[in-house]
Amino acid sequence: MGRLDGLVWHKDLGSHAYGEFSMAVIQANRMCEDYSQLESGPGTFAGVYDGHAGSEASKFVSHNLFFNLKNIVSERREVSESVLKKAFSTTEEDFLSLVKKQWMNNPQIASVGTCCLAGVLHDGVLFVANAGDSRAVLGRVERGSKRASAVQLSNEHNVNIASVREELYALHPDDSQVVIMKHKCWRVRGLIQVSRSIGDVYLKRAEFQREPLLPKFRLAETFEKPILNSEPEVTVHKLQPEDHFVIFASDGLWEQLSNQEAVDIVHNFPRNGIAKRLLKAALHEAAKKREMRYADLKKIDPGVRRHFHDDITLIIVFIDSHLVSKSPLPPYSIKGGVFPR
């Protein structure tokens, strides 16, 4: 189902409804906060969940988002933008219920959240739903060309992007502190860089802005409407024969490699082990930025390692156009990043 080599978990190659896939995860935090999954049946589902302030929210999403999506699809008998948004909102509501049950004994759960990137391939259409700052990038190879071009299929919801700050200012015109500069970057209320997530209920429900929530998460001024929201931005893309693969990855990858650099690596090397190869390329880049050797970076323990790079999770989904209309494979399920936690 996948191998754990030190801080790297990888599934070198597997099959899904429309082709093959490769997955890899590296731990940088003391405990890895990322979860991921690939589910294959009549269609294919890929999910990357980049947790923050803990792994409870990302783990919860990995166990519930696809389950909720399946139930909504069977009710409505379709896959659509509204179905994906409903799956996200249901998962958010379910997590809120868990927080309400647990928070007096485990107040930290109110401050835990996760970015959430999900891709669904169904009936020749690719749906990408994103809340947070993970990213999906398509690799396209035009007929007669040997080169692959990168097409970004998602937008990040990170307040270090001017348009995202403007969106928050417009939503909260009476809150001059909704986004402030802290520790050399923009943060929502000085605490978090993403404007959309699942979890982070302390910035969505004012009822949690009190003890036993840790003081560092309590705001000087309360709020009336949620500061963050969980609604994903959804992109719908009809698959073409030129569409060869999609890279779904947490922001840790994109901090090190451009879209085109990542697409070039996937396009120019064999599929078997390609996710691990792409991960290694990102780590080489992280080492270079700190003017150190990759071999020395590999020796750094989790926790300290977070100062050099983030947890990185990636799923590469290959799309073999001749399989798009064929009968489906037996159902298949894999969870990524099986670290001791």
Side-chain angles (χ1 to χ4, degrees), residues 115 131-134 155-172 177-182 184-197 203 227-229 251:
C115 298
D133 59 6
S134 296
N155 295 313
E156 282 101 298
H157 309 116
N158 185 308
V159 293
N160 288 285
I161 300 167
S163 60
V164 178
R165 289 199 299 280
E166 293 304 323
E167 180 181 61
L168 270 184
Y169 291 139
L171 288 168
H172 304 276
Q177 300 292 300
V178 70
V179 184
I180 58 172
M181 180 70 77
K182 193 170 181 183
K184 298 182 181 176
C185 63
W186 292 99
R187 296 173 191 268
V188 179
R189 284 290 189 103
L191 291 167
I192 188 171
Q193 293 182 51
V194 292
S195 63
R196 301 191 195 192
S197 67
L203 290 172
I227 300 172
L228 304 187
N229 77 76
D251 67 319

Side-chain angles (χ1 to χ4, degrees), residues 85-225:
K85 286 184 174 180
K86 178 66 175 170
F88 272 62
S89 64
T90 303
T91 306
E92 169 87 342
E93 286 158 20
D94 293 347
F95 187 69
L96 176 61
S97 298
L98 180 72
V99 173
K100 285 178 175 175
K101 281 183 200 157
Q102 292 191 3
W103 97 290
M104 289 308 289
N105 296 320
N106 179 24
Q108 180 248 359
I109 199 167
S111 58
V112 171
T114 187
C115 298
C116 189
L117 173 66
V120 178
L121 287 90
H122 179 77
D123 276 353
V125 178
L126 170 62
F127 298 84
V128 176
N130 187 48
D133 59 6
S134 296
R135 186 185 301 171
V137 174
L138 175 71
R140 282 179 64 91
V141 182
E142 301 297 338
R143 282 180 193 171
S145 172
K146 291 183 178 177
R147 189 170 177 274
S149 56
V151 181
Q152 190 167 319
L153 296 175
S154 59
N155 295 313
E156 282 101 298
H157 309 116
N158 185 308
V159 293
N160 288 285
I161 300 167
S163 60
V164 178
R165 289 199 299 280
E166 293 304 323
E167 180 181 61
L168 270 184
Y169 291 139
L171 288 168
H172 304 276
D174 301 324
D175 186 354
S176 62
Q177 300 292 300
V178 70
V179 184
I180 58 172
M181 180 70 77
K182 193 170 181 183
H183 305 309
K184 298 182 181 176
C185 63
W186 292 99
R187 296 173 191 268
V188 179
R189 284 290 189 103
L191 291 167
I192 188 171
Q193 293 182 51
V194 292
S195 63
R196 301 191 195 192
S197 67
I198 288 178
D200 295 308
V201 301
Y202 74 112
L203 290 172
K204 295 172 179 174
R205 299 292 184 107
E207 69 205 69
F208 295 103
Q209 279 293 327
R210 59 184 175 88
E211 290 187 342
L213 186 71
L214 292 173
K216 69 176 179 179
F217 295 115
R218 275 185 254 154
L219 304 175
E221 295 175 31
T222 188
F223 53 91
E224 302 215 342
K225 64 178 181 179

Side-chain angles (χ1 to χ4, degrees), residues 21-41:
F21 72 91
S22 184
M23 299 170 70
V25 184
I26 187 159
Q27 178 182 349
N29 286 290
R30 190 176 58 80
M31 286 182 66
C32 185
E33 296 176 335
D34 290 8
Y35 276 81
S36 54
Q37 70 188 119
L38 184 132
E39 309 286 341
S40 181

Side-chain angles (χ1 to χ4, degrees), residues 4 51 56 140 167-168 243 246 248 260 266 295 336:
L4 186 60
E56 291 94 332
R140 282 179 64 91
E167 180 181 61
L168 270 184
D243 300 334
V246 186
F248 298 95
Q260 192 59 53
V266 175

Side-chain angles (χ1 to χ4, degrees), residues 4 22 24 60 84 98 155 234 241 296 306 322-323 334 337 341:
L4 186 60
S22 184
F60 184 90
L84 276 158
L98 180 72
N155 295 313
V234 179
D296 294 329
R306 181 62 185 88
H322 66 283
L323 294 175
I334 184 168
R341 312 197 198 212

